[in-house]
Amino acid sequence: MNALQLIVRLLLATGIFLTTSVAAIDKPVLLIGASYASGDTPLNSDLQGPLSGISVGSGDYVDLGNALMRYGVKVKSEAQAGATTFSRISCNPECGSARWDSYETQLKKALMRVAQYDPSGFAGYNADYVIISIGNDCLHSDSFGIEQSKTVLCSNAEMNAAVDRLIAIGQQVLDLGLTPVYPLYPNPDDLDLSLFANLSGLTWAMSNDDFKFFGRLYARRIHDELEGALLVNPWRTFEHRGDGIHPDEETVMKGARRILWAIQEYEASRQ
C-alpha cells in the first residue's frame, strides 16, 4: 500500500471527506437512473410528460444529482424520476402517450454532454464514471407501461431480465473505458412501500420480501458478472421523506458522500 492509499483509507475510516486532489472528481460524473438520481420527471417540448411532469415533493426534494453538486462534483444528469431501464408510457391514473427514456437513451444523452472533439474529429469523453442509479423496474403497478389492472408482480425471469438490462448498460460503459458505479438498494425495512403506493395512486407495490429479494439478486449478479463495476452501499442509514420511498435530505447527502468515498478509494487503489 503506497502513501496515498494509506492516507485515503485513514480519512475514510475517520469520516473526513476529501474535497480536492483526487482525480476521480476532477472530471464530470455522469448520472442516469430514476427518482433517487433526479426528482424531475421528463417534459417534452410541447410540455407533455409522464405524470404531468411533476417533481418529487413538488420540487422540494434533494436528489443525488443535487447532493453531489453540493460536494463540488460536476454532474451531468440525464436521470428521470419514475424511469425504468426500458422506455415506457405512464399508466397512472390512465395510460398516456408521453414516455420515459430507457437507461440506454439516458446514457447516450449523458455521453453527448461530455463528448470531446479536436480537428481530427471525435476525441473521447470528458468523464471517468457513470453512476447507474436504481430504477422502477418491477417495483410497482405503473412500472410496466400497460394498464395497472393488467399488471402482476414480476416473475423471477422478469426480475433477471431487468438485471440483464442493467448489466448491459454497465458493459457499454466499460467498453467505452469508463467505470460504472451501481448504488445498492436500500433496506426495505427502512421504507414504507404500502404508504408509497397509496400516496402515488398505484394499485400495488412490491412487498418488503420481494424488494429484498430483487435487491439481493441485483447486487449478486452485478458483482459476479460485471468485472470492473463499482458497487456502493450509499443507503446504510436511511430515513424516507414521508412518502414511504424517497430519502430525506440528510439521507441523500450521506449517500452522495459514500458514493464519493467509494470512488476516491477506488482511485487511490489504482495509483
Side-chain angles (χ1 to χ4, degrees):
M1 181 183 296
N2 62 32
L4 176 59
Q5 290 173 300
L6 178 60
I7 290 169
V8 170
R9 289 183 183 276
L10 287 172
L11 290 170
L12 289 170
T14 57
I16 300 173
F17 178 67
L18 298 178
T19 57
T20 59
S21 79
V22 179
I25 58 173
D26 287 345
K27 296 180 182 179
V29 172
L30 308 187
L31 178 61
I32 66 174
S35 58
Y36 279 22
S38 171
D40 298 336
T41 54
L43 277 172
N44 302 324
S45 58
D46 60 359
L47 299 183
Q48 299 300 307
L51 303 178
S52 301
I54 62 171
S55 290
V56 175
S58 298
D60 185 23
Y61 168 60
V62 177
D63 54 43
L64 271 176
N66 300 143
L68 290 166
M69 286 189 285
R70 289 185 183 183
Y71 286 125
V73 180
K74 298 180 284 288
V75 178
K76 291 301 177 184
S77 176
E78 291 295 335
Q80 300 174 349
T84 46
T85 54
F86 58 97
S87 177
R88 78 182 203 286
I89 59 173
S90 172
C91 289
N92 187 8
E94 298 177 350
C95 294
S97 58
R99 307 189 71 86
W100 280 282
D101 288 335
S102 67
Y103 274 31
E104 182 175 11
T105 297
Q106 290 183 26
L107 175 62
K108 288 178 179 177
K109 287 182 175 181
L111 289 168
M112 292 171 69
R113 307 298 191 187
V114 295
Q116 296 175 305
Y117 296 89
D118 59 28
S120 64
F122 175 70
Y125 297 105
N126 182 34
D128 291 322
Y129 295 92
V130 181
I131 299 173
I132 304 170
S133 188
I134 61 178
N136 286 267
D137 295 63
C138 297
L139 178 60
H140 54 71
S141 55
D142 190 28
S143 58
F144 299 86
I146 60 175
E147 294 178 15
Q148 292 190 54
S149 61
K150 297 179 180 178
T151 63
V152 295
L153 179 68
C154 284
S155 65
N156 285 358
E158 289 169 324
M159 289 184 184
N160 275 287
V163 179
D164 287 343
R165 294 190 290 271
L166 287 162
I167 290 174
I169 291 296
Q171 189 61 58
Q172 288 182 46
V173 172
L174 288 167
D175 291 344
L176 293 170
L178 311 181
T179 299
V181 180
Y182 289 90
L184 297 177
Y185 277 66
N187 184 336
D189 294 337
D190 294 328
L191 309 179
D192 189 335
L193 295 171
S194 295
L195 174 63
F196 162 61
N198 290 334
L199 293 177
S200 303
L202 300 167
T203 303
W204 58 266
M206 268 185 171
S207 69
N208 280 24
D209 287 344
D210 291 322
F211 189 93
K212 184 177 293 185
F213 175 85
F214 187 62
R216 289 177 174 175
L217 174 70
Y218 160 92
R220 177 181 57 78
R221 287 198 53 201
I222 290 172
H223 176 270
D224 292 349
E225 300 176 33
L226 203 58
E227 184 178 357
L230 186 57
L231 274 169
V232 184
N233 183 8
W235 312 122
R236 293 197 301 272
T237 56
F238 192 105
E239 294 286 341
H240 66 75
R241 64 186 315 274
D243 62 7
I245 196 165
H246 296 105
D248 66 11
E249 185 169 338
E250 181 179 357
T251 298
V252 175
M253 295 304 296
K254 288 180 179 178
R257 190 166 64 233
R258 287 172 181 139
I259 290 172
L260 292 179
W261 283 344
I263 291 174
Q264 289 167 340
E265 187 174 36
Y266 177 72
E267 279 293 306
S269 72
R270 299 170 67 189
Q271 300 298 317

